[in-house]
Amino acid sequence: MLKGIDLSAWQTDIDYMQLKASGIDFAILRCGYGKNIEQKDKMFEKHYAGCKYAGIKVGAYLYSYCTAVDNAE
């Protein structure tokens, strides 16, 4: 079984090499939320670079808070 972690702007000062050493195989990174560019996750690039450097596989997601179909469209 693979071990993963979810990282976003809520997590700072991450030791990516320590994550890898503790058995973390992959990270899912929040790239942003909502639909506007200013809602980009401010830690995305740092988390991406740190995970890649440590050899942690990376995936990404965009957090949505839509409450109706027309919002999602």
Side-chain angles (χ1 to χ4, degrees):
M1 178 179 290
L2 298 175
K3 272 177 82 174
I5 191 169
D6 179 338
L7 296 173
S8 72
W10 293 103
Q11 291 77 41
T12 59
D13 299 322
I14 302 296
D15 183 334
Y16 302 98
M17 296 302 284
Q18 184 178 0
L19 278 180
K20 180 68 174 175
S22 73
I24 295 297
D25 300 301
F26 69 93
I28 302 297
L29 311 179
R30 184 179 76 167
C31 60
Y33 56 96
K35 63 181 181 177
N36 300 319
I37 192 69
E38 62 271 3
Q39 293 171 302
K40 178 181 170 207
D41 192 294
K42 293 174 180 18
M43 290 292 292
F44 179 77
E45 281 89 6
K46 183 175 182 180
H47 287 324
Y48 181 84
C51 286
K52 295 301 278 185
Y53 178 79
I56 298 170
K57 294 178 176 146
V58 175
Y61 69 94
L62 179 68
Y63 182 82
S64 173
Y65 47 85
C66 295
T67 57
V69 173
D70 59 329
N71 294 122
E73 294 171 343

